Amino acid sequence: MTDLILALDVLTREEAIEIAEKTAPCLDSIKIGYPLVLGAGLSIAGELAEFGLPLIADFKVADIPNTNRLIAEHVFEAGFSAIITQGFTGSDSVTSCVEAAHDAGGECYVVAEMSHPGALEFLSGENAEKIAGMAVKCNADGIIAPATRPDRVRKLREIIGSKKILSPGIGAQGGSAKDIANMIDGMIVGRSIYQAEDPAKAAREYSEFRR
Ligand code: O7E
């Protein structure tokens, strides 16, 4: 299955609820992070959970093991189903997030390689491959890999085997759903849906790439 995950990076509760109402029937889950939570408060997670879709917490957690666990505990208490952590902090920090997620019955994904051009400075190539290998050893549920670089997704897939790959960078950042959908487990799409003139139509069009 390739899921369609909406990156709901709007800034207010009202916009978030409006877009979720329009698009939820075509989505498999919703990802929120700093833009919305800093604007609307963590309680927005409970409101969005009412749409009946899994909610992914994208705080790209990147701290020492104890702090990572404390953050993860808040996230799962707030109603999220999954958390995203950075991998460059090392295996003890990642393990802490994975364990907190699994203790709560949730999932943990590790950012291996990012989708923007600047990622090529530090967070790509050999470093990304090492992070992907480490994510497997730490028993993470999957990794984040860039839809803007399908060749890299292919390489990271060789390393992680059947673990999941969630991929941002489709649409606004130039990645193509058509090119990447059959290589990954989740397409993360933000602006191309929530900034579209007709978000419901845009979500429906992306949902056609689910398999
Ligand atoms: O470009 P958009 O508008 O489609 O949004 C993409 C979303 O994916 C946005 O929330 C951004 O923060 C996130 N993202 C990336 O764009 N690139 C990455 O490398 C990683 C993420 C991300 O979501 O990481 C955790 C999944």
Side-chain angles (χ1 to χ4, degrees):
M1 263 305 278
T2 303
D3 286 348
L4 177 59
I5 302 164
L6 173 64
L8 191 51
D9 294 327
V10 295
L11 303 182
T12 65
R13 175 195 172 275
E14 290 68 29
E15 288 171 283
I17 300 296
E18 187 190 330
I19 300 284
E21 264 167 6
K22 288 180 175 161
T23 57
C26 296
L27 305 176
D28 297 292
S29 53
I30 297 177
K31 176 183 88 70
I32 65 171
Y34 297 109
L36 180 58
V37 171
L38 293 178
L42 190 56
S43 59
I44 188 68
E47 291 194 69
L48 290 172
E50 287 178 19
F51 288 95
L53 295 169
L55 265 191
I56 302 174
D58 179 11
F59 299 121
K60 297 188 184 67
V61 182
D63 216 310
I64 61 168
N66 185 61
T67 309
N68 275 7
R69 169 168 275 278
L70 297 175
I71 294 168
E73 285 172 357
H74 263 311
V75 157
F76 289 103
E77 272 163 30
F80 288 93
S81 307
I83 190 167
I84 291 165
T85 183
Q86 286 287 8
F88 60 73
T89 46
S91 55
D92 52 355
S93 291
V94 169
T95 298
S96 178
C97 243
V98 170
E99 286 179 354
H102 292 176
D103 286 351
E107 292 185 320
C108 179
Y109 292 88
V110 178
V111 179
E113 177 163 328
M114 295 189 73
S115 58
H116 61 307
L120 297 175
E121 294 167 25
F122 297 106
L123 207 52
S124 63
E126 205 182 313
N127 287 340
E129 289 154 30
K130 276 199 216 160
I131 290 172
M134 184 260 290
V136 175
K137 284 201 190 109
C138 294
N139 199 26
D141 297 276
I143 61 165
I144 307 299
T148 46
R149 291 182 216 104
D151 55 320
R152 296 292 301 153
V153 172
R154 199 168 296 117
K155 175 71 193 171
L156 294 168
R157 171 62 80 197
E158 284 171 19
I159 296 168
I160 66 153
S162 60
K163 296 269 182 196
K164 292 186 203 165
I165 299 181
L166 309 185
S167 255
I170 293 165
Q173 295 180 51
S176 149
K178 181 170 168 284
D179 292 351
I180 202 83
N182 65 0
M183 300 165 64
I184 60 175
D185 304 278
M187 305 176 277
I188 299 175
V189 184
R191 286 165 287 178
S192 299
I193 293 177
Y194 69 75
Q195 286 182 349
E197 209 167 297
D198 183 345
K201 179 165 170 270
R204 209 164 37 247
E205 284 168 4
Y206 278 108
S207 78
E208 280 163 19
F209 293 100
R210 292 192 287 189
R211 57 175 173 87

